[in-house]
Amino acid sequence: MTKATKLLTVLAPDQRRHLMTLAREVSFPEDAPIFEAGGRADRFWVIRSGAVSLTQRVNHLQKVTVASLGSGDLLGWSWLFPPHTWDFGAEAFSQVRAHEFDAAEVLRLCEEDTQLGMALVRGVAEILAHRLELTRGRLMEYAAHHHRSL
């Protein structure tokens, strides 16, 4: 299994400082929806404190938590890839504080500083690989449990 990557730690200190000039402090109360699958993905967050659940609908009544995110974790990658819609839903499992980034501003910064852009894309790719493994495992567990209960 791939190891968990924290987005801000893959950036060189000067790249991290440059990116953080675009950060805005936000918070979400416990149980608040942050985004829904299919919604417009125009921002992302780096969690400072609290916990977020990533969810995937398996039918019109049920959703499965496919990942739990915490301090330092990236929340949202769909802003980077067309059609720029969320692949999962996200809910605050507890009170959450985060750095929020506007995708258009970050993409402009990446065009200006291509080394930062490449480091950011590599970091997101590492995170995606890890999350794909986690999601696949959770969905397999769900399917096995659901199959046994039939």
Side-chain angles (χ1 to χ4, degrees):
M1 177 178 272
T2 59
K3 69 179 184 74
T5 298
K6 305 292 185 184
L7 183 65
L8 295 179
T9 63
V10 300
L11 301 176
D14 59 325
Q15 293 173 330
R16 186 171 38 252
R17 278 191 298 278
H18 204 179
L19 179 64
M20 291 305 292
T21 65
L22 302 179
R24 182 173 83 92
E25 293 284 327
V26 297
S27 63
F28 301 98
E30 183 176 346
D31 296 328
I34 300 171
F35 55 82
E36 295 291 331
R40 185 169 163 242
D42 60 357
R43 61 200 60 248
F44 67 94
W45 301 264
V46 174
I47 300 168
R48 294 186 61 213
S49 65
V52 173
S53 299
L54 289 181
T55 61
Q56 178 68 56
R57 282 222 171 268
V58 291
N59 60 43
H60 69 285
L61 295 176
Q62 290 182 299
K63 59 184 171 181
V64 175
T65 297
V66 295
S68 297
L69 307 178
S71 182
D73 286 332
L74 170 68
L75 173 59
W77 62 72
S78 299
W79 59 276
L80 194 53
F81 307 104
H84 306 288
T85 56
W86 299 118
D87 292 318
F88 298 95
E91 300 172 0
F93 184 75
S94 65
Q95 171 77 25
V96 172
R97 292 178 50 218
H99 296 293
E100 181 179 81
F101 297 87
D102 178 273
E105 289 179 5
V106 171
L107 290 171
R108 271 192 296 280
L109 178 63
C110 290
E111 287 177 11
E112 293 169 11
D113 183 345
T114 56
Q115 288 184 339
L116 169 62
M118 189 58 143
L120 191 63
V121 169
R122 278 190 187 132
V124 171
E126 288 178 26
I127 292 165
L128 280 170
H130 180 72
R131 299 245 182 102
L132 179 59
E133 289 181 46
L134 290 175
T135 300
R136 183 180 13 230
R138 293 263 171 98
L139 291 175
M140 289 172 67
E141 288 172 12
Y142 174 82
H145 176 73
H146 183 70
H147 179 51
R148 279 192 300 250
S149 62
L150 290 178

